[in-house]
Amino acid sequence: AQTVTQSQPEMSVQEAETVTLSCTYDTSESDYYLFWYKQPPSRQMILVIRQEAYKQQNATENRFSVNFQKAAKSFSLKISDSQLGDAAMYFCAYNWPQGGSEKLVFGKGTKLTVNP
Amino acid sequence: EPEVTQTPSHQVTQMGQEVILRCVPISNHLYFYWYRQILGQKVEFLVSFYNNEISEKSEIFDDQFSVERPDGSNFTLKIRSTKLEDSAMYFCASSGGREETQYFGPGTRLLVL
């Protein structure tokens, strides 16, 4: 079964600094999708970024970028120029719809604190 | 920008009662999902729904749970006889295709007393 591991329960960063959140996953598939979702205190799940495994280029969305290392099964999220509004739980997720299942498998999350 | 909506935002119920959680997916989406998150834990998949039938369900989704798309816009999750351990945040999500991104609603916080 596919699993997603986030080894950092909590992280903190100073406002305007850069922080990297780690995620590793386990799969025997070669074509799949990876996601980072943000969950602020309101608890809504908000998509931050998405990566297709067949793409070698790392996905970026404004201040958010990923470092996708397929061979190492690693998918870290880098937040540049951190803002107070970035404070949230961040969940890494995986799915493999090509195999017939769209279900997202989530990690346990990393709580990010942004210090002013 | 279109978004998934869910009602109610909070629900408190007595153990053994039936609850119905409602979701309105993004209008042109065809794939619908329910997830739940027990407080302090990770988000867990419950069920996926496409073409008016369940396409996949998890072990959590037992006979006490059911889903329905009663009309062209709503997607509901029914828990027939709630248990204390059903207390959680329930998220609805939808996507435009099997390989498309799933967009989540704001969640319904269910408390079973």
Side-chain angles (χ1 to χ4, degrees):
Chain A
Q2 293 88 1
T3 57
V4 176
T5 301
Q6 293 179 251
S7 59
Q8 305 153 317
E10 296 188 29
M11 292 281 285
S12 63
V13 64
Q14 291 295 124
E15 198 175 1
E17 298 289 303
T18 295
V19 65
T20 298
L21 309 184
S22 301
C23 172
T24 58
Y25 57 94
D26 185 25
T27 183
S28 57
E29 308 306 327
S30 60
D31 202 9
Y32 47 85
Y33 295 88
L34 295 163
F35 307 84
W36 280 97
Y37 283 90
K38 169 185 177 181
Q39 187 180 45
S42 66
R43 296 191 73 185
Q44 174 143 17
M45 296 288 287
I46 303 166
L47 177 72
V48 175
I49 205 162
R50 160 188 157 120
Q51 175 81 42
E52 294 92 335
Y54 64 85
K55 289 187 177 178
Q56 292 186 330
Q57 187 172 6
N58 289 323
T60 63
E61 283 290 341
N62 301 315
R63 297 181 295 106
F64 298 87
S65 61
V66 297
N67 183 6
F68 174 45
Q69 300 288 327
K70 191 171 183 179
K73 297 179 184 175
S74 170
F75 182 62
S76 60
L77 175 70
K78 184 170 85 171
I79 307 173
S80 304
D81 186 26
S82 297
Q83 300 176 0
L84 295 177
D86 295 333
M89 283 291 288
Y90 286 82
F91 291 95
C92 179
Y94 161 103
N95 77 351
W96 180 49
Q98 302 90 325
S101 170
E102 306 106 65
K103 73 175 179 187
L104 288 165
V105 177
F106 286 87
K108 291 186 175 180
T110 296
K111 182 179 180 181
L112 178 66
T113 301
V114 181
N115 301 310
Chain B
E1 186 173 329
E3 56 183 24
V4 178
T5 59
Q6 291 185 241
T7 54
S9 57
H10 294 78
Q11 177 139 11
V12 181
T13 190
Q14 296 292 323
M15 189 170 57
Q17 294 296 302
E18 173 184 288
V19 295
I20 298 176
L21 310 183
R22 291 182 168 80
C23 168
V24 179
I26 294 172
S27 64
N28 61 346
H29 282 186
L30 301 174
Y31 293 79
F32 314 115
Y33 311 90
W34 284 100
Y35 293 82
R36 79 170 186 191
Q37 184 184 32
I38 295 171
L39 187 64
Q41 298 188 22
K42 63 179 171 181
V43 179
E44 301 172 290
F45 169 79
L46 291 178
V47 66
S48 58
F49 189 87
Y50 169 71
N51 199 26
N52 272 326
E53 61 183 29
I54 290 173
S55 47
E56 186 179 3
K57 59 184 180 179
S58 72
E59 293 176 352
I60 302 167
F61 195 88
D62 61 21
D63 292 344
Q64 294 299 313
F65 291 88
S66 62
V67 288
E68 191 178 33
R69 189 153 161 84
D71 53 42
S73 60
N74 289 284
F75 178 51
T76 62
L77 173 69
K78 182 192 292 186
I79 309 175
R80 189 174 339 190
S81 177
T82 49
K83 306 183 185 74
L84 297 176
E85 54 263 37
D86 293 328
S87 295
M89 192 78 156
Y90 288 81
F91 292 102
C92 173
S94 70
S95 69
R98 293 187 60 247
E99 297 188 32
E100 299 297 313
T101 296
Q102 294 176 30
Y103 291 94
F104 283 73
T108 293
R109 190 171 302 200
L110 175 66
L111 178 60
V112 182
L113 301 176

